[in-house]
Amino acid sequence: MSKELIIKTQELSSQKVSICVPVVASTVDSVLQQVANCVEASVPMIELRADYFDFLEDRDVLEDTLRRVAEITDSTMVLFTIRTDVEGGEIAIAEELYRDIISFVSTTGYVDIIDLEISHVDDAADFINILHNNGAYVLASHHDFHETPELLDMIDLYGQMHNTGADILKLAVMPNTRDDVVRSLQAANMVNEEIEDALICSISMGSLGKVSRIAGSLVGSCISFAALDAASAPGQLSYDDMNTIIKILEK
């Protein structure tokens, strides 16, 4: 079953993996420099890891930075993420502030996709509807940095995210055995076959899970994250290595 989203001139598809490079920088200048480096490298998608921003709560500076990012990204897809400390990020943030910033960003029109940790908002479906009405696609996410849940539990997590109406469902888990990696891929494959109106992103983190980052097209996973400079999660490959491997696999 083939599913696609067309964003700018790029295609997100269950039939191939698009590489996303996280921008992990704290100052405006360093953010813009990393974004420019990604554009120069022809990265199809960047993730603005706003939990690293030292200006996150300054709306004027935040909006101006997003505007400047939009000006230089052109056809590059832009994913905006505030990764909370509970799910492996750099910031402890109250739900109200988390919602306020994400809602504000969605109204600017400067980002294409917004990451929403479904465990961090009480009414995820209603909130996602607001974000959609503001013109943003939504990637619902859940991260477990400790273990890989059982198969049915992972399928249930995908189901919870799907019920919110999100466009992309991301589940990132930590494997402790090779069986964990296989089980995560199995869950992704089963969900991809069952769900017709959403794309998925499946990741097994750490060194043990590296194979999941390049095998996404086998199970319908549409995005894989790679590092151009600094890695933002354990087990990330470099952009050049991942790009080479994926091109070979998708010949």
Side-chain angles (χ1 to χ4, degrees), residues 9-113:
T9 60
Q10 304 282 353
E11 178 186 66
L12 285 180
S13 171
S14 60
Q15 299 296 307
K16 66 177 184 178
V17 176
S18 293
I19 302 175
C20 180
V21 171
V23 171
V24 287
S26 59
T27 67
V28 172
D29 287 344
S30 57
V31 167
L32 294 174
Q33 183 59 61
Q34 285 193 27
V35 170
N37 293 343
C38 289
V39 172
E40 184 177 359
S42 299
V43 171
M45 178 188 291
I46 61 169
E47 179 185 35
L48 297 177
R49 280 291 301 271
D51 47 304
Y52 282 85
F53 293 177
D54 61 14
F55 52 91
L56 179 61
E57 296 184 41
D58 188 325
R59 290 200 175 188
D60 290 339
V61 176
L62 178 60
E63 182 175 15
D64 185 62
T65 303
L66 295 178
R67 177 188 60 79
R68 294 168 71 182
V69 167
E71 287 176 351
I72 60 177
T73 47
D74 192 23
S75 63
T76 306
M77 294 178 282
V78 179
L79 167 64
F80 180 88
T81 298
I82 303 174
R83 182 66 63 237
T84 69
D85 60 338
V86 177
E87 298 206 13
E90 295 296 307
I91 188 171
I93 185 170
E95 178 185 348
E96 183 177 1
L97 180 58
Y98 178 80
R99 291 170 60 101
D100 285 349
I101 295 173
I102 286 177
S103 181
F104 169 71
V105 168
S106 73
T107 66
T108 66
Y110 294 139
V111 305
D112 305 300
I113 310 168

Side-chain angles (χ1 to χ4, degrees), residues 169-189:
L169 320 175
K170 178 189 177 187
L171 179 60
V173 296
M174 182 63 73
N176 295 301
T177 67
R178 287 178 292 182
D179 285 345
D180 287 346
V181 179
V182 173
R183 191 167 70 253
S184 175
L185 290 170
Q186 182 184 7
N189 188 56

Side-chain angles (χ1 to χ4, degrees), residues 92-214:
I93 185 170
E95 178 185 348
E96 183 177 1
L97 180 58
Y98 178 80
R99 291 170 60 101
D100 285 349
I101 295 173
I102 286 177
S103 181
F104 169 71
V105 168
S106 73
T107 66
T108 66
Y110 294 139
V111 305
D112 305 300
I113 310 168
I114 291 178
D115 180 296
L116 186 72
E117 295 177 5
I118 61 166
S119 63
H120 206 61
V121 292
D122 288 332
D123 55 345
D126 291 339
F127 189 47
I128 286 175
N129 188 52
I130 292 171
L131 300 179
H132 279 157
N133 288 337
N134 288 340
Y137 291 101
V138 179
L139 182 153
S141 65
H142 179 84
H143 302 74
D144 189 329
F145 277 77
H146 303 291
E147 62 181 1
T148 299
E150 294 301 319
L151 179 64
L152 292 181
D153 292 332
M154 284 189 283
I155 291 173
D156 182 64
L157 283 168
Y158 278 117
Q160 291 177 39
M161 291 188 283
H162 181 237
N163 289 339
T164 67
D167 306 286
I168 307 164
L169 320 175
K170 178 189 177 187
L171 179 60
V173 296
M174 182 63 73
N176 295 301
T177 67
R178 287 178 292 182
D179 285 345
D180 287 346
V181 179
V182 173
R183 191 167 70 253
S184 175
L185 290 170
Q186 182 184 7
N189 188 56
M190 292 174 67
V191 170
N192 181 58
E193 290 297 320
E194 290 294 325
I195 292 177
E196 298 182 358
D197 57 350
L199 292 165
I200 65 167
C201 173
S202 170
I203 301 170
S204 280
M205 295 181 283
S207 180
L208 196 59
K210 282 183 179 180
V211 66
S212 73
R213 295 181 179 273
I214 60 174

